[in-house]
Amino acid sequence: MTRRTGFEGTLLSPAARRIMGTILLVLAAGLLVGASAIALRAHSGEVAELGPTAALFVTTGKIFGLLAGTLVFLQFALSAKLKTLDRVFGLHRLLFAHRFLGISAAVCASLHPLFVFAPKAREIGALRFAILPELMGAALLIALWIAVCTGLWREFLHLRYQVWYRFHRLGMFSAVVLVTLHVLNVTDDIAGGWPLHALVAAFGLYAALFVWAKGIKPRLLRRRMYAVTKVTPAGKDTYAVELSPKGDGIFSYVPGQFAFLTFHSEALPLERHPWTISSTPTRPESLIFTIKCSGDFTDSIGKLKPGDTAVVDGPYGLFSYAAHVRDPKGELVMVAGGVGVTPMLSMLRYMADRGEMRKVTLVWSNKTEADILCREELEAIEAKLPNLAIHHVLTRQKDFQGPTGRLDRTMLKELLSGCSRTSAVFVCGPPPMMDAVWKALKGIGFRGRRIHTERFSI
Ligand SMILES: Cc1cc2nc3c(=O)[nH]c(=O)nc-3n(C[C@H](O)[C@H](O)[C@H](O)COP(=O)(O)OP(=O)(O)OC[C@H]3O[C@@H](n4cnc5c(N)ncnc54)[C@H](O)[C@@H]3O)c2cc1C
């Protein structure tokens, strides 16, 4: 068995992430300012013929429109799961930005016609009001709000993830086409010079990114298929699915990262789902995913058979002490809820193989003892790592010898009394638990910047 000694993967150091992140944010801000400048540049032309108040309204409206259009173009770069951006920001942050900027685009797009039409814009000769560009603008506005509302309230609207995802992708692609047609037809501002070149470049970049993400990358991934080698129960309603590469070895990853899997099996539909890699990079023969039956798809995960195949797209994410703690003695605190322990499992397996001596405290909340996964293995790891302490907390088993109840401030204060408040903290579990734990940890003195969270939803 191979034992690697260094951190695997192509992680950037925290300093490199900060520098690259700043550069990328400045570039994005530059794009938005540059786009807005198109409206100011046109001020000397058609808009200058209006009175000053009307000109101000129209210019402001155009700025909102240009901002909305630029944000629509940027959206795909944020959601296309680009590894380079993932390494700098992490996929969860990118998807948070995607949601926030999606709402901003819809708000800007709504303000755009309000301002442009406010000064009775119908009398402004230079703005050509052919009905088609107007309709395209209106369709775009509706598409953006549908994308925003269904994205924010998908679960409330009972939309199946796969169905929603397909419509969302199609909707956003249509939005980019509509933006381009709308701006080219509704105003002369982008009819020539650098604004036209910028629009053509943006559309070209978008098309290239689309072809890469939806055409080339899936083909490349299919060339590096994995075979299911073992499917074993790992606890109540949970399976450990082991995959081995069919060709070259597995990709480099750090413990705690996740991947998107698409199984090719008679037992399961062809869907792409994210799961944490719960194995450790110190054992590079295979990848293990510990999967809980929690819905339509995962309920059949136990029916996978050795010989089924899978496409694995990964690794992604920065939820790993390897990404945040450079000091080999740096202390760690981990708080997990239920199957949210999988990233911790990977990190602990890694530390056990490397014989790490750093102090680690894991607080793990489950409903009952029967829900505790891989208990024997974790006990063996605890015995191997003298500075590891595992505290089980149960929420629905009154006769448990240890602590019972929800993880709140009082319980965490007691369980983490011996831990340094400067420790790096990793929290993963159901969203309400994570929010409560985050507040409790802050309340008992842990530093917000050192608390890292992983949500099992994207
Ligand atoms: C970064 C990350 C790591 C994860 N790691 C693990 C893990 O180690 N073990 C584990 O058991 N679970 C993990 N999950 C959760 C797992 O992805 C979902 O439980 C699974 O996709 C649910 O699928 P379902 O169709 O059976 O359930 P459903 O009931 O249909 O879906 C439940 C919820 O899961 C999410 N979901 C469903 N399908 C997808 C999809 N195709 N892509 C993205 N999200 C989807 C949606 O938020 C949905 O509302 C992880 C999730 C994320 C985001």
Side-chain angles (χ1 to χ4, degrees):
M1 193 172 290
T2 318
R3 292 276 186 276
R4 296 188 188 179
T5 48
F7 284 135
E8 311 301 329
T10 47
L11 274 185
L12 295 169
S13 69
R17 280 206 301 274
R18 264 196 300 278
I19 293 168
M20 283 186 68
T22 310
I23 293 172
L24 287 167
L25 288 176
V26 168
L27 277 177
L31 262 178
L32 292 170
V33 172
S36 309
I38 295 175
L40 300 174
R41 175 182 175 267
H43 206 90
S44 56
E46 61 197 41
V47 180
E49 291 162 18
L50 311 168
T53 315
L56 186 65
F57 267 96
V58 173
T59 305
T60 309
K62 286 183 175 190
I63 290 178
F64 278 127
L66 288 158
L67 286 176
T70 313
L71 289 174
V72 166
F73 269 94
L74 278 178
Q75 285 298 66
F76 188 62
L78 292 173
S79 64
K81 304 182 178 75
L82 299 175
K83 289 256 170 74
T84 316
L85 291 186
D86 172 63
R87 300 231 152 88
V88 177
F89 298 107
L91 207 61
H92 279 86
R93 268 198 203 156
L94 290 173
L95 293 175
F96 177 80
H98 175 68
R99 264 174 230 128
F100 176 75
L101 295 182
I103 298 170
S104 309
V107 170
C108 289
S110 306
L111 292 172
H112 166 62
L114 292 182
F115 274 85
V116 168
F117 287 114
K120 295 196 177 170
R122 282 180 188 287
E123 291 160 23
I124 305 167
L127 290 171
R128 286 182 274 110
F129 284 103
I131 190 76
L132 199 59
E134 302 296 308
L135 284 180
M136 282 189 289
L140 174 64
L141 194 52
I142 293 168
L144 279 178
W145 277 114
I146 291 179
V148 165
C149 295
T150 52
L152 288 179
W153 297 302
R154 177 177 52 77
E155 289 186 21
F156 175 75
L157 296 168
H158 295 288
L159 293 174
R160 270 209 77 216
Y161 183 90
Q162 301 293 332
V163 177
W164 165 80
Y165 183 68
R166 267 184 216 125
F167 274 107
H168 191 74
R169 218 167 49 179
L170 187 72
M172 287 314 288
F173 180 75
S174 318
V176 167
V177 174
L178 285 170
V179 164
T180 311
L181 294 175
H182 178 71
V183 292
L184 282 176
N185 286 286
V186 84
T187 171
D188 287 332
D189 295 355
I190 303 182
W194 68 265
L196 182 63
H197 295 146
L199 180 68
V200 171
F203 197 77
L205 273 176
Y206 178 87
L209 198 58
F210 196 85
V211 170
W212 159 253
K214 304 295 168 201
I216 301 171
K217 188 177 159 194
R219 276 184 183 73
L220 290 178
L221 286 171
R222 274 199 293 274
R223 281 201 208 151
R224 290 188 281 131
M225 292 290 275
Y226 284 69
V228 175
T229 46
K230 252 194 242 167
V231 182
T232 40
K236 193 176 160 197
D237 300 329
T238 308
Y239 291 87
V241 178
E242 191 168 337
L243 306 177
S244 297
K246 290 190 96 178
D248 307 337
I250 62 168
F251 49 71
S252 291
Y253 67 99
V254 290
Q257 286 190 301
F258 66 94
F260 291 89
L261 265 68
T262 313
F263 289 108
H264 292 248
S265 160
E266 280 179 6
L268 293 167
L270 208 60
E271 292 181 10
R272 188 179 136 98
H273 287 255
W275 285 293
T276 306
I277 309 167
S278 60
S279 48
T280 154
T282 44
R283 299 175 188 229
E285 308 80 20
S286 63
L287 294 172
I288 301 175
F289 297 86
T290 305
I291 301 176
K292 185 161 181 87
C293 304
S294 57
D296 293 349
F297 184 88
T298 43
D299 282 350
S300 300
I301 208 78
K303 293 182 191 155
L304 277 171
K305 288 196 177 61
D308 287 341
T309 53
V311 172
V312 185
D313 177 13
Y316 288 99
L318 295 173
F319 189 73
S320 174
Y321 75 102
H324 301 284
V325 186
R326 292 274 133 176
D327 177 0
K329 290 193 186 137
E331 187 178 335
L332 307 179
V333 169
M334 299 171 171
V335 185
V339 77
V341 79
T342 51
M344 287 58 167
L345 198 55
S346 175
M347 290 190 248
L348 293 176
R349 284 172 169 163
Y350 184 73
M351 286 180 216
D353 275 357
R354 287 166 42 103
E356 288 197 15
M357 287 298 129
R358 69 173 79 234
K359 183 173 175 191
V360 186
T361 308
L362 167 66
V363 177
W364 186 11
S365 167
N366 278 290
K367 286 180 188 155
T368 64
E369 270 180 288
D371 294 291
I372 298 174
L373 307 174
C374 309
R375 192 168 187 172
E376 282 172 19
E377 183 189 354
L378 278 171
E379 279 169 6
I381 291 177
E382 203 176 5
K384 191 169 176 187
L385 296 178
N387 296 325
L388 166 66
I390 301 180
H391 302 287
H392 291 287
V393 177
L394 299 183
T395 53
R396 293 203 196 153
Q397 189 177 317
K398 293 273 166 351
D399 62 354
F400 181 54
Q401 300 296 303
T404 53
R406 299 210 174 271
L407 289 180
D408 56 15
R409 192 175 159 146
T410 317
M411 190 182 294
L412 285 171
K413 192 172 179 187
E414 195 182 318
L415 294 175
L416 303 177
S417 58
C419 300
S420 159
R421 285 343 190 207
T422 59
S423 305
V425 188
F426 294 84
V427 186
C428 182
M433 179 214 103
M434 286 175 61
D435 295 340
V437 165
W438 198 86
K439 274 193 206 129
L441 288 169
K442 286 267 292 169
I444 58 174
F446 286 92
R447 295 182 185 167
R449 282 188 60 224
R450 308 216 74 197
I451 304 175
H452 308 279
T453 56
E454 179 86 312
R455 286 184 189 265
F456 275 6
S457 68
I458 52 175

